[in-house]
Amino acid sequence: MIAVEMISEQLEELRRAALAAFASSLSMEELEEVRVQALGRKGTLAQISKDFGKLAPGERAAVGKLLNSVKQDLESEYETKKHRFAESELAARLAGEWIDVTLPSSGVRPGSLHPVTQLQNEIEDLFTSLGFAVLYGPEVETEEHNFDALNIPPAHPARDMQDTFWLSDGHLLRTHTSPVQVRGMRLLGPPLRLIAPGRAFRNEEVDASHEHTFYQLEGMMVDRDVSVANLIYFMKTLLSGIFHREVTVRLRPGYFPFVEPGFELDIRCVICDGAGCPVCKQSGWVELLPCGLVHPNVLRLSGIDPEQWGGFAFGLGLTRLAMMRYGIDDIRHLQGGDLRFLNQF
Ligand code: PHE
């Protein structure tokens, strides 16, 4: 027989010791340790409870009451303390992660479009309003699209290794945007109006006016009875759109295998109005873009009958035009990636 006094004493001792241990725990971990020791499945209370069954039946009621009250005391003390720890942990986190939303920010710095992109967007808008489609051909091209289909004979100097970046598999980096003429004719069929802005690549020595990578904007129109008058009309519309004023143009003969006749189009200098200045080298005229009527062979090679259809094409040097419009004196600035330069636009 176990004495009531003994078991009661053990319970009171447990209550006293565990409450003291809870009180002196400094962390959630310590608190948890005390809980396991006192209230866990193999803890002190569980040990004492084993002796409960050895009591005489008449003695069980009083001891059972005490047992429950010890258990409740310990559990509620544990919960209270645990809650306090959780609260102070949260408070510590809030204090640590505090930010002052009233501090001045480091400033909003909006990006801006590259000058060539700005010009390209303007010209795309202008031509789409005139019924032209915008096509973007691949930068890696076949010899057929870049040369053969444009009536560029195999011995033409443009095919020289000096000018063309050849890839090891026989493809090349397009040397102009004109291969998109070929793709456009084959894709759309006549009649058609398209422009094709994009990058072109040439194996050039880089200096202030030459880059291996530059932007062009190709244009092409194929229809019945297209003449040089149509070409001039569209070029004047384009140029007054870019320079925001009426411009005077003139055509000089120029040779490109894919146009016949071919021209160099000059504009009356927009800086001095033709009087002569450093920009036009005192000539009053600035050379701006090559163009011409589409060569019958070029039409034929893309499945268009030159007896039925005619066309014009032009190749605007977007990079050069951007340099003229913004007064940029060195082509290397445009692809240099220097933010001090780019932030000006
Ligand atoms: N593709 C030519 C070049 O890059 C330019 C051009 C385009 C000329 C269209 C005439 C017609 O030099």
Side-chain angles (χ1 to χ4, degrees):
M1 268 302 180
I2 287 267
V4 174
E5 289 74 22
M6 198 184 124
I7 198 167
S8 303
E9 225 168 77
Q10 283 175 352
L11 284 169
E12 290 297 356
E13 173 56 19
L14 170 65
R15 167 149 53 196
R16 195 197 55 73
L19 286 178
F22 278 145
S24 63
S25 323
L26 295 173
S27 66
M28 199 74 111
E29 291 75 33
E30 280 181 50
L31 187 71
E32 198 54 30
E33 246 169 61
V34 178
R35 187 193 65 78
V36 171
Q37 267 175 29
L39 299 168
R41 244 180 331 120
K42 293 176 181 164
T44 315
L45 191 70
Q47 298 295 336
I48 299 171
S49 302
K50 277 188 194 156
D51 292 337
F52 185 72
K54 298 175 189 161
L55 288 170
E59 297 167 336
R60 287 184 192 169
V63 175
K65 230 178 177 179
L66 178 62
L67 202 141
N68 280 335
S69 108
V70 169
K71 194 173 174 218
Q72 269 168 27
D73 274 5
L74 297 188
E75 276 173 352
S76 96
E77 183 58 18
Y78 166 77
E79 288 300 331
T80 309
K81 197 94 203 242
K82 183 176 145 184
H83 185 69
R84 216 173 293 145
F85 276 134
E87 270 189 336
S88 61
E89 243 171 54
L90 179 66
R93 245 188 76 193
L94 287 176
E97 292 173 10
W98 185 84
I99 55 160
D100 184 352
V101 296
T102 66
L103 280 175
S105 79
S106 55
V108 179
R109 304 209 297 164
S112 60
L113 294 176
H114 192 278
V116 171
T117 310
Q118 291 182 26
L119 192 60
Q120 178 182 326
N121 288 349
E122 275 179 44
I123 300 176
E124 284 187 16
D125 285 350
L126 190 111
F127 274 100
T128 43
S129 79
L130 296 170
F132 283 69
V134 182
L135 262 57
Y136 307 94
E139 293 175 343
V140 173
E141 264 296 6
T142 63
E143 189 174 0
E144 203 264 331
H145 287 98
N146 197 81
F147 292 129
D148 301 83
L150 288 167
N151 196 38
I152 303 178
H156 196 276
R159 291 198 179 198
D160 199 298
M161 296 295 290
Q162 290 281 304
D163 299 321
T164 307
F165 287 112
W166 289 93
L167 306 183
S168 50
D169 66 356
H171 283 80
L172 49 81
L173 296 185
R174 67 180 179 195
T175 57
H176 48 182
T177 45
S178 300
V180 192
Q181 288 187 27
V182 176
R183 292 181 177 276
M185 285 186 288
R186 294 176 184 176
L187 183 73
L188 305 169
L192 63 90
R193 295 175 184 200
L194 66 88
I195 56 165
R199 294 198 294 181
F201 310 86
R202 284 182 204 174
N203 196 350
E204 304 234 42
E205 202 74 61
V206 174
D207 63 28
S209 50
H210 296 88
E211 256 284 20
H212 48 71
T213 303
F214 51 94
Y215 284 80
Q216 291 191 330
L217 189 137
E218 195 81 8
M220 179 182 229
M221 173 172 169
V222 175
D223 212 319
R224 311 259 181 214
D225 306 319
V226 174
S227 71
V228 174
N230 299 119
L231 172 63
I232 293 174
Y233 166 78
F234 279 104
M235 294 306 96
K236 286 191 79 161
T237 309
L238 163 67
L239 296 169
S240 46
I242 293 169
F243 291 104
H244 305 295
R245 50 183 279 190
E246 190 77 20
V247 290
T248 310
V249 302
R250 75 174 184 193
L251 294 178
R252 287 178 292 116
Y255 172 72
F256 297 91
F258 34 94
V259 283
E260 180 58 39
F263 307 105
E264 291 287 352
L265 183 144
D266 300 337
I267 56 168
R268 171 78 47 80
C269 182
V270 291
I271 309 291
C272 64
D273 249 327
C277 71
V279 170
C280 59
K281 300 193 186 84
Q282 309 305 326
S283 74
W285 295 92
V286 179
E287 184 179 318
L288 202 66
L289 62 90
C291 53
L293 296 185
V294 182
H295 196 290
N297 285 348
V298 172
L299 293 171
R300 212 175 283 121
L301 286 164
S302 286
I304 296 176
D305 181 0
E307 303 294 330
Q308 304 282 324
W309 305 93
F312 70 72
F314 62 90
L316 183 65
L318 261 190
T319 299
R320 252 185 81 213
L321 190 60
M323 290 173 73
M324 259 182 68
R325 179 152 106 171
Y326 296 108
I328 300 163
D329 58 5
D330 191 322
I331 195 171
R332 289 168 291 195
H333 287 316
L334 289 163
Q335 301 240 97
D338 188 334
L339 286 177
R340 290 169 305 176
F341 167 78
L342 293 170
N343 279 337
Q344 299 174 73
F345 299 94

